[in-house]
Amino acid sequence: MKKLLSVLLASAVVMGALTGCGGDKKDDKKAAGDTIKVGVFLPLTGDNAAGGELELRGIKLANKLHPEVNGKKIQLIVADNKSDKAEAASVAARLIEKDKVCTILGSYGSSLSMAAGNIVKDAKVPAIGTSCTNPQVTANNDYYFRACFIDPFQGTVMANYAYKQGAKKIAIVQEVSNDYSVGLAKFFVEAFQKLTNDKNCIIDVANYQTGDKDFTAVLTNLKAKNPDAVFAPGNFTESALLVKQARQLGIKAPFMGGDTWETQEFIDVGGKDVEGCVLSTAFDREKASTEEAKKFLKAYTDEYKGEPSALSALGYDSYLIAVDAIKRAGTTDSQKIRDAIAATKDLEAVTGKTTLDKNGDAIKAAVIKVVKDGKFKYLDFVDVK
C-alpha cells in the first residue's frame, strides 16, 4: 500500500511539474512577442575588457533612455567574447542561433569584429560595430556596419597633426598581432609620406606582440634612430607600458596613438610618463553639439559619476542606429532591419549626426586629445573633408 501511495505521489509531482513547464513556455512565448532581442558581444574579460566595459556602459545607458521601439520592450542579450577571436565567432553564433536576436552590437576590437564577420553574413543578421575602425570589418560584408569612423581617416588625422607639429622623421611601433594596430599604422604611414613627399620619412618600424611587457630591445633601437615623434597605436595596457619604458630610457620624443588609448587604464598604468601623449578619438564634451549628446552627458554623469569616454558614446550610438532602423523597418525581420540600417542618414547621435556610406561606415569627425594632469583633455577637432 505504501509503495502504491509513493508511486501515485511521484506521478502527481511529475504531472504538476509538466503542467508548470507548459504554462511557463506559453507565458515565455507571449512575453517574447512583446520583446525585441538585441545582442551585444563585447570583451568583458581578457586583455580588452576595459574597452568593452566602457562600451557596455553606453549601450546600457541608451537602453535605459530608449527602452522601447514600435511598442515593444528592447531586451539586451549581453555576451562576453573574452577578448578572443575564436570566442567572438562562437558568441556571435550563439546570439543568433540560441538567443534569436534580430541584430547584434559590437565589438570593441577590430579583430574580434572581423572574427564574427562570416557568422553574421551567413546568418543574414546585421551587426553594428562600436569602435572597430579597421576597414576590413565591413569590407565585402553587407551585414556589418559601424558607428565609428575608419582607420584611413583616423590615420590621416594623426599624420596631419604630426606634420603640423613640425615632425619630419617618424618611428612606428605596432602591435603586430592586432589588426587594428597594423592597419592604423599603415594608413598613418601612407598619409605622412604623402604630406612630406618623402618615402624615407618613416625611419623605423618596430613590432611587438599582444601581452608583451618588456619593450627594452624595441626602444633601445628606436632611441638610436632619434625620431621627431613616435606613432604607436595599440592596446591601452601595452601602449602605456611602452611609453613608460621609453621615458625611463631617456626617450623624449612625443608619442601618438589612436582611439584605443582613451581608457583610464592607459593613465593608471602609464602614470606621469604618459603626460603629453596625443590620441585621436570620436567624442568630447566640448563638441557635444546634438540634443542626444546633451541627454547622454547628463545621464552618464548621473549614472556613473564621471566623464564619459568616446567608447561609451559609440556604444550608445550603435544602439541608437539599431533602434532607429528597427523603428523604420517596422518589424523584427533581420533582412528588413539590415536594409534600414544601410539607409541610415543624418541620425542625431551622441558623436554627431550619423550617416552610413555605401560600405556601412559612419561618416563623422574626429577629436584629438592630449593627456594632461592625469586626464584626457580636448586639443582639436577635425571634421570630415
Side-chain angles (χ1 to χ4, degrees):
M1 186 66 176
K2 287 182 178 179
K3 186 175 181 180
L4 178 60
L5 287 172
S6 297
V7 172
L8 290 172
L9 181 60
S11 298
V13 170
V14 172
M15 290 301 293
L18 288 173
T19 302
C21 287
D24 286 344
K25 286 182 179 178
K26 186 176 180 180
D27 290 343
D28 286 346
K29 188 174 181 180
K30 182 180 179 182
D34 296 329
T35 303
I36 295 175
K37 292 183 178 181
V38 172
V40 179
F41 89 119
L42 293 169
L44 304 178
T45 55
D47 293 335
N48 298 319
E53 287 287 355
L54 288 173
E55 293 186 355
L56 184 58
R57 281 187 178 189
I59 293 169
K60 285 184 172 180
L61 196 61
N63 181 241
K64 184 176 181 179
L65 296 183
H66 303 278
E68 296 183 354
V69 62
N70 298 337
K72 295 183 178 182
K73 183 178 179 181
I74 301 170
Q75 179 185 3
L76 297 178
I77 309 295
V78 180
D80 178 13
N81 63 37
K82 301 180 182 178
S83 306
D84 180 82
K85 295 177 187 179
E87 188 68 20
S90 177
V91 162
R94 188 165 71 246
L95 286 170
I96 293 167
E97 295 166 10
K98 180 184 175 183
D99 298 307
K100 308 297 182 185
V101 300
C102 63
T103 188
I104 294 175
L105 309 181
S107 175
Y108 173 96
S110 294
S111 295
L112 300 172
S113 297
M114 289 158 64
N118 284 335
I119 303 297
V120 300
K121 184 178 181 179
D122 292 344
K124 292 182 168 42
V125 173
I128 303 170
T130 39
S131 64
C132 43
T133 53
N134 189 296
Q136 292 304 310
V137 172
T138 57
N140 302 312
N141 192 334
D142 291 337
Y143 286 83
Y144 227 119
F145 304 87
R146 72 180 105 212
C148 56
F149 51 55
I150 58 175
D151 287 333
F153 175 63
Q154 183 174 200
T156 300
V157 165
M158 293 310 293
N160 279 323
Y161 174 81
Y163 184 72
K164 288 178 180 177
Q165 295 303 306
K168 295 180 180 178
K169 302 295 182 182
I170 300 285
I172 304 294
V173 183
Q174 60 186 7
E175 187 178 345
V176 73
S177 50
N178 182 336
D179 293 311
Y180 160 85
S181 178
V182 174
L184 184 50
K186 171 182 176 290
F187 294 117
F188 176 94
V189 168
E190 290 174 355
F192 197 74
Q193 287 177 334
K194 186 175 180 180
L195 286 166
T196 60
N197 195 29
D198 179 8
K199 293 293 184 182
N200 298 314
C201 62
I202 306 301
I203 58 175
D204 190 32
V205 178
N207 299 326
Y208 67 90
Q209 298 287 336
T210 304
D212 283 357
K213 293 181 171 56
D214 184 358
F215 303 95
T216 305
V218 166
L219 291 170
T220 299
N221 184 59
L222 186 151
K223 184 178 181 180
K225 298 291 180 68
N226 193 30
D228 296 328
V230 182
F231 187 61
N235 194 29
F236 42 84
T237 302
E238 289 85 344
S239 297
L241 287 172
L242 176 76
V243 177
K244 191 176 187 69
Q245 291 173 31
R247 299 306 182 222
Q248 291 168 351
L249 283 173
I251 297 173
K252 296 181 180 180
F255 273 75
M256 303 174 294
D259 55 316
T260 52
W261 283 13
E262 197 186 4
T263 67
Q264 187 58 43
E265 280 71 13
F266 180 77
I267 292 174
D268 290 344
V269 172
K272 62 181 177 58
D273 293 314
V274 297
E275 287 283 310
C277 284
V278 177
L279 61 144
S280 49
T281 186
F283 178 74
D284 186 83
R285 179 182 289 273
E286 290 196 29
K287 288 296 179 179
S289 58
T290 68
E291 286 302 314
E292 196 64 45
K294 294 171 185 176
K295 291 178 189 176
F296 165 76
L297 287 168
K298 183 181 185 308
Y300 191 96
T301 301
D302 292 343
E303 188 80 15
Y304 298 110
K305 316 300 180 188
E307 193 69 19
S309 78
L311 296 177
S312 295
L314 289 170
Y316 189 105
D317 282 358
S318 69
Y319 179 92
L320 288 186
I321 293 170
V323 172
D324 175 65
I326 294 169
K327 181 179 180 180
R328 286 185 286 110
T331 177
T332 56
D333 180 86
S334 292
Q335 180 61 55
K336 291 181 179 178
I337 293 172
R338 179 261 160 223
D339 293 344
I341 294 172
T344 299
K345 184 177 181 180
D346 292 333
L347 173 66
E348 185 175 286
V350 173
T351 55
K353 286 193 174 181
T354 299
T355 295
L356 301 185
D357 66 15
K358 63 180 181 180
N359 297 315
D361 303 325
I363 303 169
K364 57 180 57 177
V367 173
I368 298 177
K369 292 186 180 181
V370 61
V371 179
K372 184 178 180 182
D373 300 327
K375 295 183 178 181
F376 296 104
K377 299 289 183 68
Y378 174 84
L379 197 60
D380 200 4
F381 178 79
V382 183
D383 209 345
V384 179
K385 297 292 175 78

